[in-house]
Amino acid sequence: MRDAIVRDSNGTELHEGDSVTLIKDLKVKGTSETIKRGTLVKNIRLTGNPGEIECSTRQVKGLVLKTEFLKKA
């Protein structure tokens, strides 16, 4: 599971517990929430998929984000 290298939109490698910043406003499916560009997301968790990470924000818990919309903080 840990053989896939997870990279952000700039190609920087991401690790468990890193902090990332959103580079685009994202609507959250199933809610009326929008997470704004520039939002800092702390303590990310890696999934088995190199294109996704798991995280929690103040608005939404248990969120899965695509790495193409993130940059390492």
Side-chain angles (χ1 to χ4, degrees):
M1 181 172 129
R2 278 300 325 222
D3 46 11
I5 296 174
V6 180
R7 298 190 184 274
D8 68 3
S9 60
N10 296 328
T12 306
E13 193 171 339
L14 298 174
H15 302 282
E16 288 280 327
D18 280 349
S19 295
V20 294
T21 305
L22 269 65
I23 60 171
K24 179 181 175 183
D25 289 357
L26 298 176
K27 293 185 76 61
V28 180
K29 284 185 180 180
T31 70
S32 60
E33 291 289 335
T34 300
I35 302 175
K36 298 289 185 191
R37 187 179 116 207
T39 300
L40 180 67
V41 180
K42 297 179 181 178
N43 200 18
I44 65 169
R45 292 174 302 282
L46 302 181
T47 65
N49 184 340
E52 296 177 344
I53 57 126
E54 287 184 29
C55 62
S56 293
T57 63
R58 280 186 297 169
Q59 301 98 323
V60 183
K61 305 292 182 224
L63 197 58
V64 175
L65 296 176
K66 292 196 174 281
T67 56
E68 63 192 84
F69 303 121
L70 307 173
K71 69 177 181 178
K72 190 170 182 175

Short mmCIF file of all heavy atoms in Angstrom, two decimals:
data_model
loop_
_atom_site.label_atom_id
_atom_site.label_comp_id
_atom_site.label_asym_id
_atom_site.label_seq_id
_atom_site.Cartn_x
_atom_site.Cartn_y
_atom_site.Cartn_z
N MET A 1 0.83 -1.20 0.00
CA MET A 1 0.00 0.00 0.00
C MET A 1 0.87 1.25 0.00
O MET A 1 0.51 2.24 -0.58
CB MET A 1 -0.90 -0.01 1.23
CG MET A 1 -1.83 1.19 1.30
SD MET A 1 -3.01 1.01 2.63
CE MET A 1 -2.78 2.56 3.44
N ARG A 2 2.02 1.24 0.63
CA ARG A 2 2.86 2.42 0.74
C ARG A 2 3.85 2.56 -0.41
O ARG A 2 4.79 3.32 -0.30
CB ARG A 2 3.64 2.39 2.06
CG ARG A 2 2.90 2.85 3.26
CD ARG A 2 2.43 4.28 3.14
NE ARG A 2 3.39 5.06 2.40
CZ ARG A 2 3.78 6.27 2.67
NH1 ARG A 2 3.29 6.88 3.68
NH2 ARG A 2 4.66 6.89 1.93
N ASP A 3 3.67 1.79 -1.50
CA ASP A 3 4.62 1.89 -2.59
C ASP A 3 4.32 3.05 -3.53
O ASP A 3 5.17 3.45 -4.29
CB ASP A 3 4.67 0.57 -3.37
CG ASP A 3 3.29 0.03 -3.68
OD1 ASP A 3 2.31 0.75 -3.48
OD2 ASP A 3 3.22 -1.13 -4.12
N ALA A 4 3.12 3.62 -3.46
CA ALA A 4 2.76 4.75 -4.30
C ALA A 4 3.23 6.05 -3.66
O ALA A 4 3.03 6.27 -2.47
CB ALA A 4 1.25 4.79 -4.50
N ILE A 5 3.89 6.90 -4.45
CA ILE A 5 4.34 8.20 -3.95
C ILE A 5 3.25 9.22 -4.23
O ILE A 5 2.79 9.35 -5.36
CB ILE A 5 5.66 8.61 -4.63
CG1 ILE A 5 6.77 7.63 -4.24
CG2 ILE A 5 6.05 10.03 -4.23
CD1 ILE A 5 8.07 7.85 -4.95
N VAL A 6 2.83 9.92 -3.19
CA VAL A 6 1.76 10.91 -3.31
C VAL A 6 2.40 12.28 -3.49
O VAL A 6 3.27 12.67 -2.72
CB VAL A 6 0.86 10.90 -2.06
CG1 VAL A 6 -0.25 11.94 -2.18
CG2 VAL A 6 0.27 9.52 -1.85
N ARG A 7 1.98 13.00 -4.54
CA ARG A 7 2.54 14.32 -4.83
C ARG A 7 1.44 15.36 -4.94
O ARG A 7 0.33 15.05 -5.38
CB ARG A 7 3.34 14.29 -6.13
CG ARG A 7 4.52 13.33 -6.07
CD ARG A 7 5.42 13.50 -7.28
NE ARG A 7 6.50 12.52 -7.27
CZ ARG A 7 7.66 12.70 -6.64
NH1 ARG A 7 7.87 13.80 -5.97
NH2 ARG A 7 8.59 11.76 -6.69
N ASP A 8 1.76 16.61 -4.55
CA ASP A 8 0.79 17.70 -4.66
C ASP A 8 0.80 18.25 -6.09
O ASP A 8 1.46 17.70 -6.98
CB ASP A 8 1.07 18.79 -3.62
CG ASP A 8 2.36 19.55 -3.86
OD1 ASP A 8 3.05 19.31 -4.88
OD2 ASP A 8 2.68 20.42 -3.02
N SER A 9 0.10 19.36 -6.32
CA SER A 9 -0.01 19.93 -7.67
C SER A 9 1.32 20.43 -8.21
O SER A 9 1.51 20.52 -9.41
CB SER A 9 -1.02 21.07 -7.66
OG SER A 9 -0.59 22.09 -6.76
N ASN A 10 2.28 20.74 -7.33
CA ASN A 10 3.60 21.22 -7.75
C ASN A 10 4.62 20.09 -7.87
O ASN A 10 5.77 20.35 -8.20
CB ASN A 10 4.13 22.26 -6.76
CG ASN A 10 3.27 23.50 -6.74
OD1 ASN A 10 2.67 23.88 -7.74
ND2 ASN A 10 3.19 24.13 -5.59
N GLY A 11 4.23 18.86 -7.54
CA GLY A 11 5.14 17.73 -7.63
C GLY A 11 5.91 17.45 -6.35
O GLY A 11 6.78 16.60 -6.32
N THR A 12 5.57 18.17 -5.27
CA THR A 12 6.23 17.95 -3.98
C THR A 12 5.64 16.71 -3.33
O THR A 12 4.42 16.53 -3.30
CB THR A 12 6.01 19.16 -3.06
OG1 THR A 12 6.44 20.34 -3.74
CG2 THR A 12 6.79 19.02 -1.77
N GLU A 13 6.51 15.86 -2.80
CA GLU A 13 6.05 14.62 -2.16
C GLU A 13 5.32 14.93 -0.85
O GLU A 13 5.78 15.75 -0.06
CB GLU A 13 7.23 13.70 -1.91
CG GLU A 13 6.84 12.30 -1.55
CD GLU A 13 8.02 11.35 -1.51
OE1 GLU A 13 9.06 11.63 -2.14
OE2 GLU A 13 7.89 10.32 -0.84
N LEU A 14 4.20 14.26 -0.61
CA LEU A 14 3.42 14.43 0.62
C LEU A 14 3.58 13.20 1.51
O LEU A 14 3.70 12.08 1.01
CB LEU A 14 1.94 14.63 0.29
CG LEU A 14 1.59 15.86 -0.53
CD1 LEU A 14 0.10 15.83 -0.90
CD2 LEU A 14 1.93 17.13 0.21
N HIS A 15 3.56 13.43 2.83
CA HIS A 15 3.70 12.35 3.81
C HIS A 15 2.57 12.46 4.83
O HIS A 15 1.94 13.51 4.96
CB HIS A 15 5.05 12.46 4.53
CG HIS A 15 6.23 12.42 3.61
ND1 HIS A 15 6.69 11.25 3.06
CD2 HIS A 15 7.01 13.41 3.12
CE1 HIS A 15 7.72 11.52 2.28
NE2 HIS A 15 7.93 12.83 2.30
N GLU A 16 2.33 11.36 5.58
CA GLU A 16 1.35 11.37 6.67
C GLU A 16 1.64 12.54 7.61
O GLU A 16 2.79 12.78 7.96
CB GLU A 16 1.46 10.08 7.51
CG GLU A 16 0.96 8.84 6.87
CD GLU A 16 -0.55 8.66 6.91
OE1 GLU A 16 -1.20 9.09 7.87
OE2 GLU A 16 -1.05 8.09 5.95
N GLY A 17 0.59 13.27 8.01
CA GLY A 17 0.73 14.33 8.99
C GLY A 17 1.14 15.68 8.42
O GLY A 17 1.21 16.66 9.15
N ASP A 18 1.41 15.75 7.11
CA ASP A 18 1.76 17.04 6.50
C ASP A 18 0.57 17.99 6.53
O ASP A 18 -0.58 17.58 6.71
CB ASP A 18 2.17 16.85 5.03
CG ASP A 18 3.60 16.36 4.88
OD1 ASP A 18 4.34 16.36 5.87
OD2 ASP A 18 3.96 15.98 3.75
N SER A 19 0.86 19.27 6.31
CA SER A 19 -0.18 20.28 6.13
C SER A 19 -0.18 20.70 4.67
O SER A 19 0.87 20.80 4.05
CB SER A 19 0.10 21.49 7.01
OG SER A 19 0.01 21.15 8.36
N VAL A 20 -1.38 20.93 4.13
CA VAL A 20 -1.52 21.36 2.74
C VAL A 20 -2.46 22.55 2.66
O VAL A 20 -3.24 22.79 3.58
CB VAL A 20 -2.04 20.21 1.84
CG1 VAL A 20 -1.04 19.08 1.74
CG2 VAL A 20 -3.38 19.69 2.31
N THR A 21 -2.37 23.29 1.55
CA THR A 21 -3.21 24.44 1.30
C THR A 21 -3.99 24.19 0.01
O THR A 21 -3.42 23.70 -0.97
CB THR A 21 -2.36 25.71 1.15
OG1 THR A 21 -1.54 25.85 2.30
CG2 THR A 21 -3.22 26.94 1.00
N LEU A 22 -5.27 24.55 -0.01
CA LEU A 22 -6.07 24.41 -1.22
C LEU A 22 -5.70 25.50 -2.20
O LEU A 22 -5.50 26.65 -1.81
CB LEU A 22 -7.56 24.50 -0.89
CG LEU A 22 -8.26 23.19 -0.57
CD1 LEU A 22 -7.73 22.58 0.69
CD2 LEU A 22 -9.74 23.39 -0.50
N ILE A 23 -5.63 25.15 -3.50
CA ILE A 23 -5.31 26.14 -4.52
C ILE A 23 -6.53 26.51 -5.35
O ILE A 23 -6.44 27.28 -6.29
CB ILE A 23 -4.18 25.62 -5.45
CG1 ILE A 23 -4.59 24.34 -6.16
CG2 ILE A 23 -2.89 25.43 -4.68
CD1 ILE A 23 -3.63 23.90 -7.26
N LYS A 24 -7.70 25.98 -4.97
CA LYS A 24 -8.93 26.25 -5.70
C LYS A 24 -10.10 26.10 -4.74
O LYS A 24 -10.06 25.27 -3.84
CB LYS A 24 -9.05 25.23 -6.85
CG LYS A 24 -10.28 25.36 -7.69
CD LYS A 24 -10.31 24.29 -8.77
CE LYS A 24 -11.62 24.38 -9.52
NZ LYS A 24 -11.74 23.34 -10.53
N ASP A 25 -11.16 26.92 -4.90
CA ASP A 25 -12.38 26.73 -4.12
C ASP A 25 -13.00 25.39 -4.51
O ASP A 25 -13.13 25.10 -5.70
CB ASP A 25 -13.40 27.83 -4.41
CG ASP A 25 -13.01 29.18 -3.84
OD1 ASP A 25 -11.97 29.27 -3.16
OD2 ASP A 25 -13.76 30.14 -4.06
N LEU A 26 -13.38 24.60 -3.51
CA LEU A 26 -13.96 23.28 -3.79
C LEU A 26 -15.32 23.15 -3.14
O LEU A 26 -15.46 23.41 -1.95
CB LEU A 26 -13.04 22.17 -3.26
CG LEU A 26 -11.64 22.07 -3.85
CD1 LEU A 26 -10.84 21.00 -3.14
CD2 LEU A 26 -11.72 21.77 -5.33
N LYS A 27 -16.32 22.75 -3.93
CA LYS A 27 -17.64 22.45 -3.37
C LYS A 27 -17.59 21.03 -2.82
O LYS A 27 -17.01 20.15 -3.43
CB LYS A 27 -18.72 22.56 -4.45
CG LYS A 27 -18.93 23.99 -4.95
CD LYS A 27 -20.08 24.10 -5.91
CE LYS A 27 -21.42 24.05 -5.26
NZ LYS A 27 -21.75 25.07 -4.30
N VAL A 28 -18.20 20.83 -1.66
CA VAL A 28 -18.21 19.51 -1.03
C VAL A 28 -19.50 18.80 -1.43
O VAL A 28 -20.59 19.31 -1.17
CB VAL A 28 -18.11 19.64 0.50
CG1 VAL A 28 -18.11 18.27 1.15
CG2 VAL A 28 -16.86 20.42 0.88
N LYS A 29 -19.37 17.65 -2.07
CA LYS A 29 -20.53 16.89 -2.51
C LYS A 29 -21.40 16.50 -1.31
O LYS A 29 -20.89 16.12 -0.26
CB LYS A 29 -20.11 15.60 -3.22
CG LYS A 29 -19.62 15.80 -4.61
CD LYS A 29 -19.35 14.47 -5.26
CE LYS A 29 -18.85 14.66 -6.68
NZ LYS A 29 -18.57 13.38 -7.32
N GLY A 30 -22.71 16.61 -1.48
CA GLY A 30 -23.63 16.21 -0.43
C GLY A 30 -23.90 17.28 0.61
O GLY A 30 -24.69 17.07 1.51
N THR A 31 -23.24 18.43 0.50
CA THR A 31 -23.47 19.53 1.44
C THR A 31 -23.54 20.83 0.65
O THR A 31 -23.26 20.87 -0.54
CB THR A 31 -22.34 19.67 2.49
OG1 THR A 31 -21.17 20.15 1.83
CG2 THR A 31 -22.04 18.36 3.17
N SER A 32 -23.87 21.91 1.34
CA SER A 32 -23.88 23.23 0.71
C SER A 32 -22.57 23.96 0.98
O SER A 32 -22.43 25.13 0.65
CB SER A 32 -25.06 24.04 1.22
OG SER A 32 -24.95 24.21 2.62
N GLU A 33 -21.59 23.26 1.59
CA GLU A 33 -20.32 23.87 1.96
C GLU A 33 -19.40 24.05 0.76
O GLU A 33 -19.36 23.24 -0.15
CB GLU A 33 -19.59 22.99 2.97
CG GLU A 33 -20.22 22.93 4.33
CD GLU A 33 -20.08 24.21 5.12
OE1 GLU A 33 -19.14 24.98 4.88
OE2 GLU A 33 -20.93 24.43 5.99
N THR A 34 -18.63 25.13 0.77
CA THR A 34 -17.54 25.35 -0.16
C THR A 34 -16.30 25.63 0.66
O THR A 34 -16.32 26.48 1.54
CB THR A 34 -17.83 26.55 -1.09
OG1 THR A 34 -19.01 26.28 -1.83
CG2 THR A 34 -16.67 26.78 -2.04
N ILE A 35 -15.24 24.89 0.40
CA ILE A 35 -13.98 25.12 1.10
C ILE A 35 -13.17 26.07 0.23
O ILE A 35 -12.94 25.80 -0.94
CB ILE A 35 -13.23 23.81 1.33
CG1 ILE A 35 -14.11 22.86 2.15
CG2 ILE A 35 -11.93 24.06 2.07
CD1 ILE A 35 -13.53 21.51 2.35
N LYS A 36 -12.80 27.21 0.79
CA LYS A 36 -12.19 28.29 0.04
C LYS A 36 -10.72 28.04 -0.28
O LYS A 36 -10.01 27.36 0.46
CB LYS A 36 -12.29 29.60 0.83
CG LYS A 36 -13.71 30.05 1.09
CD LYS A 36 -14.37 30.51 -0.16
CE LYS A 36 -15.75 31.07 0.13
NZ LYS A 36 -16.49 31.29 -1.07
N ARG A 37 -10.29 28.64 -1.39
CA ARG A 37 -8.88 28.62 -1.77
C ARG A 37 -8.05 29.24 -0.65
O ARG A 37 -8.47 30.21 -0.04
CB ARG A 37 -8.70 29.42 -3.05
CG ARG A 37 -7.33 29.34 -3.63
CD ARG A 37 -7.25 30.14 -4.89
NE ARG A 37 -6.29 31.20 -4.60
CZ ARG A 37 -6.26 32.38 -5.17
NH1 ARG A 37 -7.16 32.72 -6.04
NH2 ARG A 37 -5.34 33.25 -4.84
N GLY A 38 -6.90 28.66 -0.36
CA GLY A 38 -6.04 29.17 0.70
C GLY A 38 -6.30 28.55 2.05
O GLY A 38 -5.58 28.82 3.00
N THR A 39 -7.32 27.68 2.17
CA THR A 39 -7.61 27.01 3.43
C THR A 39 -6.47 26.06 3.78
O THR A 39 -6.04 25.26 2.94
CB THR A 39 -8.93 26.22 3.34
OG1 THR A 39 -9.99 27.12 3.03
CG2 THR A 39 -9.24 25.50 4.64
N LEU A 40 -5.97 26.16 5.00
CA LEU A 40 -4.91 25.27 5.47
C LEU A 40 -5.54 24.02 6.06
O LEU A 40 -6.40 24.10 6.92
CB LEU A 40 -4.06 25.98 6.53
CG LEU A 40 -2.92 25.17 7.12
CD1 LEU A 40 -1.85 24.90 6.05
CD2 LEU A 40 -2.31 25.91 8.30
N VAL A 41 -5.11 22.87 5.58
CA VAL A 41 -5.58 21.58 6.09
C VAL A 41 -4.40 20.90 6.75
O VAL A 41 -3.38 20.65 6.09
CB VAL A 41 -6.16 20.71 4.95
CG1 VAL A 41 -6.63 19.38 5.49
CG2 VAL A 41 -7.28 21.43 4.23
N LYS A 42 -4.52 20.63 8.05
CA LYS A 42 -3.41 20.04 8.80
C LYS A 42 -3.60 18.55 9.00
O LYS A 42 -4.72 18.05 8.97
CB LYS A 42 -3.31 20.71 10.18
CG LYS A 42 -3.00 22.17 10.12
CD LYS A 42 -2.93 22.76 11.51
CE LYS A 42 -2.65 24.25 11.45
NZ LYS A 42 -2.63 24.84 12.78
N ASN A 43 -2.50 17.86 9.22
CA ASN A 43 -2.50 16.45 9.60
C ASN A 43 -3.23 15.56 8.60
O ASN A 43 -4.20 14.88 8.95
CB ASN A 43 -3.09 16.29 11.01
CG ASN A 43 -2.69 14.99 11.64
OD1 ASN A 43 -1.74 14.35 11.22
ND2 ASN A 43 -3.43 14.59 12.65
N ILE A 44 -2.78 15.56 7.35
CA ILE A 44 -3.41 14.73 6.32
C ILE A 44 -3.07 13.26 6.54
O ILE A 44 -2.10 12.92 7.19
CB ILE A 44 -2.98 15.16 4.91
CG1 ILE A 44 -1.47 14.92 4.69
CG2 ILE A 44 -3.37 16.59 4.64
CD1 ILE A 44 -1.03 15.07 3.25
N ARG A 45 -3.91 12.40 5.98
CA ARG A 45 -3.68 10.95 6.00
C ARG A 45 -3.64 10.47 4.55
O ARG A 45 -4.44 10.90 3.73
CB ARG A 45 -4.80 10.25 6.75
CG ARG A 45 -4.80 10.56 8.24
CD ARG A 45 -6.00 9.98 8.96
NE ARG A 45 -7.29 10.41 8.44
CZ ARG A 45 -7.85 11.61 8.70
NH1 ARG A 45 -7.22 12.49 9.42
NH2 ARG A 45 -9.03 11.91 8.21
N LEU A 46 -2.70 9.59 4.26
CA LEU A 46 -2.58 9.06 2.90
C LEU A 46 -3.51 7.87 2.72
O LEU A 46 -3.70 7.07 3.65
CB LEU A 46 -1.14 8.64 2.63
CG LEU A 46 -0.08 9.72 2.79
CD1 LEU A 46 1.29 9.15 2.45
CD2 LEU A 46 -0.39 10.93 1.93
N THR A 47 -4.09 7.76 1.54
CA THR A 47 -4.92 6.61 1.19
C THR A 47 -4.06 5.70 0.32
O THR A 47 -2.91 6.00 0.05
CB THR A 47 -6.18 7.04 0.42
OG1 THR A 47 -5.76 7.60 -0.83
CG2 THR A 47 -6.98 8.07 1.18
N GLY A 48 -4.59 4.61 -0.13
CA GLY A 48 -3.85 3.74 -1.04
C GLY A 48 -3.74 4.32 -2.43
O GLY A 48 -2.96 3.87 -3.25
N ASN A 49 -4.52 5.36 -2.72
CA ASN A 49 -4.56 5.99 -4.04
C ASN A 49 -3.60 7.17 -4.08
O ASN A 49 -3.72 8.09 -3.28
CB ASN A 49 -6.00 6.46 -4.30
CG ASN A 49 -6.18 7.05 -5.68
OD1 ASN A 49 -5.23 7.44 -6.35
ND2 ASN A 49 -7.43 7.10 -6.11
N PRO A 50 -2.64 7.19 -5.01
CA PRO A 50 -1.68 8.30 -5.05
C PRO A 50 -2.29 9.64 -5.45
O PRO A 50 -1.66 10.67 -5.31
CB PRO A 50 -0.64 7.84 -6.08
CG PRO A 50 -1.31 6.81 -6.88
CD PRO A 50 -2.35 6.17 -6.00
N GLY A 51 -3.53 9.66 -5.93
CA GLY A 51 -4.17 10.91 -6.33
C GLY A 51 -5.11 11.49 -5.29
O GLY A 51 -5.78 12.48 -5.55
N GLU A 52 -5.17 10.88 -4.10
CA GLU A 52 -6.11 11.33 -3.07
C GLU A 52 -5.47 11.31 -1.69
O GLU A 52 -4.58 10.52 -1.43
CB GLU A 52 -7.34 10.42 -3.02
CG GLU A 52 -8.17 10.43 -4.27
CD GLU A 52 -9.34 9.47 -4.20
OE1 GLU A 52 -9.35 8.58 -3.31
OE2 GLU A 52 -10.24 9.58 -5.04
N ILE A 53 -5.98 12.21 -0.81
CA ILE A 53 -5.60 12.20 0.61
C ILE A 53 -6.88 12.31 1.43
O ILE A 53 -7.91 12.76 0.93
CB ILE A 53 -4.65 13.38 0.97
CG1 ILE A 53 -5.28 14.74 0.61
CG2 ILE A 53 -3.32 13.23 0.29
CD1 ILE A 53 -5.33 15.68 1.77
N GLU A 54 -6.82 11.88 2.67
CA GLU A 54 -7.93 12.06 3.61
C GLU A 54 -7.57 13.16 4.58
O GLU A 54 -6.41 13.30 4.97
CB GLU A 54 -8.18 10.78 4.41
CG GLU A 54 -8.81 9.67 3.64
CD GLU A 54 -9.10 8.47 4.52
OE1 GLU A 54 -9.34 8.65 5.73
OE2 GLU A 54 -9.08 7.36 3.99
N CYS A 55 -8.57 13.95 4.99
CA CYS A 55 -8.32 15.02 5.94
C CYS A 55 -9.63 15.45 6.58
O CYS A 55 -10.69 14.96 6.24
CB CYS A 55 -7.67 16.21 5.24
SG CYS A 55 -8.71 16.93 3.97
N SER A 56 -9.52 16.37 7.52
CA SER A 56 -10.69 16.97 8.14
C SER A 56 -10.47 18.48 8.18
O SER A 56 -9.36 18.94 8.43
CB SER A 56 -10.89 16.45 9.56
OG SER A 56 -11.23 15.09 9.54
N THR A 57 -11.53 19.23 7.94
CA THR A 57 -11.48 20.68 8.06
C THR A 57 -12.45 21.08 9.17
O THR A 57 -13.17 20.24 9.70
CB THR A 57 -11.89 21.38 6.75
OG1 THR A 57 -13.25 21.05 6.46
CG2 THR A 57 -11.00 20.96 5.60
N ARG A 58 -12.48 22.36 9.49
CA ARG A 58 -13.42 22.81 10.51
C ARG A 58 -14.86 22.58 10.06
O ARG A 58 -15.72 22.25 10.85
CB ARG A 58 -13.22 24.30 10.81
CG ARG A 58 -12.06 24.56 11.73
CD ARG A 58 -11.98 25.99 12.10
NE ARG A 58 -11.73 26.78 10.89
CZ ARG A 58 -11.81 28.09 10.81
NH1 ARG A 58 -12.16 28.80 11.85
NH2 ARG A 58 -11.54 28.71 9.69
N GLN A 59 -15.12 22.74 8.74
CA GLN A 59 -16.48 22.60 8.24
C GLN A 59 -16.89 21.14 8.03
O GLN A 59 -18.02 20.77 8.30
CB GLN A 59 -16.63 23.31 6.88
CG GLN A 59 -16.32 24.76 6.90
CD GLN A 59 -14.90 25.07 6.42
OE1 GLN A 59 -13.98 24.32 6.68
NE2 GLN A 59 -14.73 26.18 5.74
N VAL A 60 -15.97 20.32 7.52
CA VAL A 60 -16.31 18.96 7.11
C VAL A 60 -15.28 17.97 7.67
O VAL A 60 -14.08 18.17 7.53
CB VAL A 60 -16.33 18.84 5.57
CG1 VAL A 60 -16.75 17.45 5.15
CG2 VAL A 60 -17.25 19.89 4.96
N LYS A 61 -15.77 16.91 8.30
CA LYS A 61 -14.89 15.85 8.83
C LYS A 61 -14.86 14.69 7.84
O LYS A 61 -15.84 14.42 7.15
CB LYS A 61 -15.41 15.35 10.18
CG LYS A 61 -15.60 16.45 11.21
CD LYS A 61 -14.29 17.04 11.64
CE LYS A 61 -14.50 18.08 12.70
NZ LYS A 61 -13.72 19.29 12.50
N GLY A 62 -13.74 13.97 7.79
CA GLY A 62 -13.63 12.78 6.94
C GLY A 62 -13.70 13.09 5.46
O GLY A 62 -14.39 12.42 4.71
N LEU A 63 -12.96 14.09 5.03
CA LEU A 63 -12.98 14.56 3.66
C LEU A 63 -11.88 13.87 2.85
O LEU A 63 -10.78 13.65 3.36
CB LEU A 63 -12.72 16.06 3.69
CG LEU A 63 -13.06 16.92 2.50
CD1 LEU A 63 -14.52 16.81 2.14
CD2 LEU A 63 -12.74 18.37 2.82
N VAL A 64 -12.18 13.52 1.60
CA VAL A 64 -11.17 12.99 0.68
C VAL A 64 -10.96 14.04 -0.40
O VAL A 64 -11.89 14.45 -1.06
CB VAL A 64 -11.62 11.65 0.05
CG1 VAL A 64 -10.61 11.18 -0.98
CG2 VAL A 64 -11.81 10.60 1.12
N LEU A 65 -9.71 14.50 -0.55
CA LEU A 65 -9.39 15.53 -1.53
C LEU A 65 -8.44 14.99 -2.58
O LEU A 65 -7.57 14.18 -2.29
CB LEU A 65 -8.73 16.73 -0.85
CG LEU A 65 -9.56 17.49 0.17
CD1 LEU A 65 -8.71 18.58 0.81
CD2 LEU A 65 -10.78 18.11 -0.48
N LYS A 66 -8.60 15.48 -3.81
CA LYS A 66 -7.68 15.13 -4.89
C LYS A 66 -6.43 15.98 -4.75
O LYS A 66 -6.51 17.18 -4.48
CB LYS A 66 -8.34 15.35 -6.25
CG LYS A 66 -9.48 14.39 -6.51
CD LYS A 66 -9.82 14.39 -7.98
CE LYS A 66 -10.85 13.35 -8.29
NZ LYS A 66 -10.30 12.02 -8.38
N THR A 67 -5.28 15.37 -4.95
CA THR A 67 -4.01 16.07 -4.76
C THR A 67 -3.76 17.15 -5.80
O THR A 67 -2.95 18.04 -5.58
CB THR A 67 -2.84 15.08 -4.76
OG1 THR A 67 -2.86 14.34 -5.98
CG2 THR A 67 -2.92 14.14 -3.58
N GLU A 68 -4.48 17.12 -6.93
CA GLU A 68 -4.29 18.14 -7.96
C GLU A 68 -4.76 19.53 -7.50
O GLU A 68 -4.43 20.53 -8.12
CB GLU A 68 -5.01 17.75 -9.25
CG GLU A 68 -6.52 17.66 -9.10
CD GLU A 68 -7.19 16.99 -10.28
OE1 GLU A 68 -7.24 15.75 -10.29
OE2 GLU A 68 -7.66 17.71 -11.18
N PHE A 69 -5.54 19.59 -6.39
CA PHE A 69 -6.03 20.86 -5.87
C PHE A 69 -5.29 21.30 -4.61
O PHE A 69 -5.75 22.19 -3.90
CB PHE A 69 -7.52 20.77 -5.58
CG PHE A 69 -8.34 20.37 -6.77
CD1 PHE A 69 -9.13 19.23 -6.74
CD2 PHE A 69 -8.33 21.13 -7.92
CE1 PHE A 69 -9.88 18.85 -7.84
CE2 PHE A 69 -9.08 20.75 -9.03
CZ PHE A 69 -9.85 19.62 -8.98
N LEU A 70 -4.14 20.69 -4.32
CA LEU A 70 -3.42 20.97 -3.08
C LEU A 70 -1.99 21.36 -3.36
O LEU A 70 -1.42 20.96 -4.36
CB LEU A 70 -3.39 19.70 -2.21
CG LEU A 70 -4.71 19.03 -1.91
CD1 LEU A 70 -4.45 17.71 -1.19
CD2 LEU A 70 -5.59 19.92 -1.07
N LYS A 71 -1.41 22.14 -2.43
CA LYS A 71 0.03 22.35 -2.41
C LYS A 71 0.50 22.23 -0.98
O LYS A 71 -0.23 22.56 -0.04
CB LYS A 71 0.43 23.69 -3.02
CG LYS A 71 0.04 24.89 -2.19
CD LYS A 71 0.54 26.16 -2.83
CE LYS A 71 0.16 27.35 -1.96
NZ LYS A 71 0.63 28.60 -2.49
N LYS A 72 1.72 21.72 -0.81
CA LYS A 72 2.26 21.52 0.53
C LYS A 72 2.46 22.88 1.21
O LYS A 72 2.96 23.80 0.60
CB LYS A 72 3.58 20.75 0.45
CG LYS A 72 4.09 20.31 1.80
CD LYS A 72 5.24 19.35 1.63
CE LYS A 72 5.70 18.87 2.99
NZ LYS A 72 6.73 17.85 2.86
N ALA A 73 2.05 22.96 2.47
CA ALA A 73 2.16 24.23 3.19
C ALA A 73 3.54 24.41 3.79
O ALA A 73 4.26 23.48 4.00
CB ALA A 73 1.11 24.29 4.29
#
